[in-house]
Amino acid sequence: MNDELDALPCPVIVTDLNGLVIYVNQCALTTFTIAAQADITQIEQLFPPAAAIFLQTHLWPMLRNEGLVKEFYLKVKRALLPPLPVLLNVQKGLFQQQACYRWVILPAAQRASFEQELLSTRQQLLQLAKETESHRYILQAVLDGAQDVAIMAVSAVGIIRFANRGAEMLLGTPSHHLINSTVQHFFTAERMCTYFQQVAIPQKSAAAAAPPNDLISESFDTVICRSDGQYIDVQLHIRQLDQTLLSEDMQFIILMTDIRQRKHYEKLQNDFIANISHELRTPLTAMLGSLHLLNSGKLGDVPAKAQKLIDITEKNANRLKCLITDILDFSTLKTTKMSIELQTVFLQPLLKDAVAEHRYYLPDKKIQLELEMPKQVTNIVIDPQRFMQVMANLLSNAIKFSVPDSRVKIVATLEESCVVITIEDQGPGIRAEFLPYLFTQFSQQDSASNRHHEGSGLGLAISKSLVEMMGGTIGYRPGTTGGAVFWFSVLRVHRTS
């Protein structure tokens, strides 16, 4: 107790109920120039005669009746110094299990300084509150101005804590009804309805400690149900907030954009592509049939000059057929109408057939194909037709971009649950700036109209979709000595004896 009183920055004196001094703290000894505690035995000794009389006539009766005296201005005697104006506060209490009075004697100048500091601090707080309210108003105005984007802040369990004007318009619900409702109420997709149970809630306890780079961030298309019962397509972006920077119960920011018009345009585009591709394929099939018949010799010998024209026409017709097939496949994938029939098949025969089909592709380049396979019989789960389509896309690209008289290496590697197939060429490889677009539609590293290598720019995008539909992954890495290395994985089945 004594140490605590000595640590106080103001003078404190403790007396018994009759004014006998029990304790004087260090600040009081210094402030009132008292040499030692023994120099003062009664509290009245501290005050000039007039103040001592005031204590006897007014303060003591008040203390005995109420146990408390607040803010009386008096003067305190000081040795060899003028009396010191002070503000006196006295309260009844206990000191070392003994009933007492605690006399807090604050110099008036110090009190004035404290009051000035308090006033200044209050003014600063008021200014800060005003600035905070101004910033909040500006932020709200900016967020409400983005009416084409719904912005919501939600808690760890999906309770909406903030919603802008765009959220009101998109969900068809006033913001005061949105606040404290559950965001899951508006989502019909199972992916979103279970998001907070599977992802958000387990993160709740670790959110405060999660580094910013580990915070959840995900984007996907889904469907919401407005308050009027209408279902609409939206693009949703959800991002976890850094809890170390927040004082409120907000864990995620959700951004939603209405994509109904985009979906409508995509459907029109896909339908157009599918229709025009079918219309092109029908006459092209007839043309190729006629060209094959001419080349077969069944219609008689063809003059050398005419044969050359037939060969050129057939080559270009086949290239056109490949382009139309790519466009049709891509259109089918975009409309989710392509079916995948997974089967358990042997890996080795499929790889041999895929390589055999491409040994004579672009024969003038004299590309050597090298195949390395596991010696043990390996079962994989795939759609054989789609697997061969992926192999054809990757092998034809490797041969097409390889330099003449080089080799393309095909390696199948067994892993615990999958088989990884890599195709490595000795071509120019992929430029770093093009890597983000490598597996996107209609993307080609050389996009000039007079580029050396022809193609639709859809092969890798189609391959990625097919591999993922079969449960695998696909990727790219640069070769150790140049060139490109494309790889993809397929599920492996362990044989049981």
Side-chain angles (χ1 to χ4, degrees), residues 126-136:
L126 289 174
Q127 181 63 27
L128 181 61
K130 184 177 180 181
E131 291 178 0
T132 301
E133 181 63 21
S134 174
H135 293 159
R136 189 202 66 79

Side-chain angles (χ1 to χ4, degrees), residues 2 82 111 149 203 207 228 265 315 336 351 367 392 409 464:
N2 294 359
R111 167 61 183 266
V149 179
Q203 290 288 331
D228 58 6
Y265 288 152
K315 179 180 177 181
T336 65
L351 287 179
I367 305 298
K409 191 174 182 179
K464 183 176 186 296

Side-chain angles (χ1 to χ4, degrees), residues 96-168:
Q96 297 178 350
Q97 306 302 319
Q98 177 184 352
C100 71
Y101 289 118
R102 290 191 293 269
W103 302 67
V104 179
I105 309 171
L106 187 65
Q110 188 175 355
R111 167 61 183 266
S113 175
F114 283 167
E115 289 180 346
Q116 185 61 38
E117 289 182 10
L118 182 61
L119 179 61
S120 176
T121 302
R122 184 181 178 186
Q123 291 175 341
Q124 291 176 5
L125 289 174
L126 289 174
Q127 181 63 27
L128 181 61
K130 184 177 180 181
E131 291 178 0
T132 301
E133 181 63 21
S134 174
H135 293 159
R136 189 202 66 79
Y137 172 76
I138 293 173
L139 179 60
Q140 183 75 47
V142 170
L143 295 177
D144 284 341
Q147 296 186 10
D148 55 339
V149 179
I151 304 173
M152 293 183 292
V154 301
S155 70
V157 292
I159 305 299
I160 300 173
R161 301 304 187 195
F162 167 83
N164 75 332
R165 175 62 178 159
E168 293 185 26

Side-chain angles (χ1 to χ4, degrees), residues 459-479:
L460 291 179
I462 293 171
S463 297
K464 183 176 186 296
S465 296
L466 292 177
V467 169
E468 291 175 350
M469 289 173 71
M470 291 188 289
T473 55
I474 190 170
Y476 162 84
R477 67 174 183 269

Side-chain angles (χ1 to χ4, degrees), residues 243-261:
Q243 293 299 292
T244 61
L245 304 178
L246 295 173
S247 59
E248 299 184 39
D249 178 24
M250 295 183 185
Q251 183 107 10
F252 297 91
I253 285 290
I254 295 178
L255 306 179
M256 285 189 297
T257 307
D258 187 344
I259 57 172
R260 284 176 291 179
Q261 190 173 37

Side-chain angles (χ1 to χ4, degrees), residues 49-298:
I53 295 172
F54 182 78
L55 258 68
Q56 293 294 335
T57 58
H58 290 80
L59 287 183
W60 278 114
M62 291 177 62
L63 277 174
R64 292 187 177 103
N65 289 332
E66 301 177 12
L68 178 69
V69 168
K70 285 188 175 181
E71 298 187 346
F72 271 90
Y73 281 96
L74 298 172
K75 289 185 178 181
V76 174
K77 294 189 299 183
R78 293 186 296 177
L80 304 177
L81 290 172
L84 177 67
V86 297
L87 182 69
L88 181 65
N89 287 272
V90 189
Q91 186 172 5
K92 189 175 181 179
L94 290 175
F95 181 80
Q96 297 178 350
Q97 306 302 319
Q98 177 184 352
C100 71
Y101 289 118
R102 290 191 293 269
W103 302 67
V104 179
I105 309 171
L106 187 65
Q110 188 175 355
R111 167 61 183 266
S113 175
F114 283 167
E115 289 180 346
Q116 185 61 38
E117 289 182 10
L118 182 61
L119 179 61
S120 176
T121 302
R122 184 181 178 186
Q123 291 175 341
Q124 291 176 5
L125 289 174
L126 289 174
Q127 181 63 27
L128 181 61
K130 184 177 180 181
E131 291 178 0
T132 301
E133 181 63 21
S134 174
H135 293 159
R136 189 202 66 79
Y137 172 76
I138 293 173
L139 179 60
Q140 183 75 47
V142 170
L143 295 177
D144 284 341
Q147 296 186 10
D148 55 339
V149 179
I151 304 173
M152 293 183 292
V154 301
S155 70
V157 292
I159 305 299
I160 300 173
R161 301 304 187 195
F162 167 83
N164 75 332
R165 175 62 178 159
E168 293 185 26
M169 297 173 64
L170 188 62
L171 299 175
T173 305
S175 61
H176 62 275
H177 287 159
L178 288 175
I179 302 303
N180 295 326
S181 64
T182 60
V183 71
Q184 294 98 316
H185 173 73
F186 298 98
F187 291 91
T188 59
E190 182 180 354
R191 180 180 186 184
M192 186 61 197
C193 289
T194 59
Y195 185 86
F196 291 96
Q197 285 72 27
Q198 295 178 349
V199 180
I201 292 179
Q203 290 288 331
K204 184 178 180 181
S205 60
N213 291 339
D214 294 338
L215 297 177
I216 298 168
S217 181
E218 186 176 1
S219 296
F220 54 89
D221 293 350
T222 185
V223 176
I224 64 170
C225 179
R226 288 166 46 93
S227 58
D228 58 6
Q230 181 184 7
Y231 293 91
I232 63 173
D233 293 302
V234 297
Q235 183 181 57
L236 184 143
H237 179 76
I238 181 167
R239 179 171 178 81
Q240 186 180 5
L241 299 172
D242 186 351
Q243 293 299 292
T244 61
L245 304 178
L246 295 173
S247 59
E248 299 184 39
D249 178 24
M250 295 183 185
Q251 183 107 10
F252 297 91
I253 285 290
I254 295 178
L255 306 179
M256 285 189 297
T257 307
D258 187 344
I259 57 172
R260 284 176 291 179
Q261 190 173 37
R262 191 195 81 187
K263 290 282 188 180
H264 175 67
Y265 288 152
E266 286 180 353
K267 185 178 184 303
L268 291 177
Q269 171 186 291
N270 293 331
D271 290 345
F272 172 77
I273 290 175
N275 290 334
I276 197 67
S277 299
H278 279 295
E279 294 298 325
L280 289 172
R281 177 180 277 184
T282 301
L284 183 62
T285 302
M287 292 168 57
L288 280 171
S290 300
L291 291 170
H292 291 328
L293 186 60
L294 286 173
N295 266 335
S296 68
K298 294 179 179 180

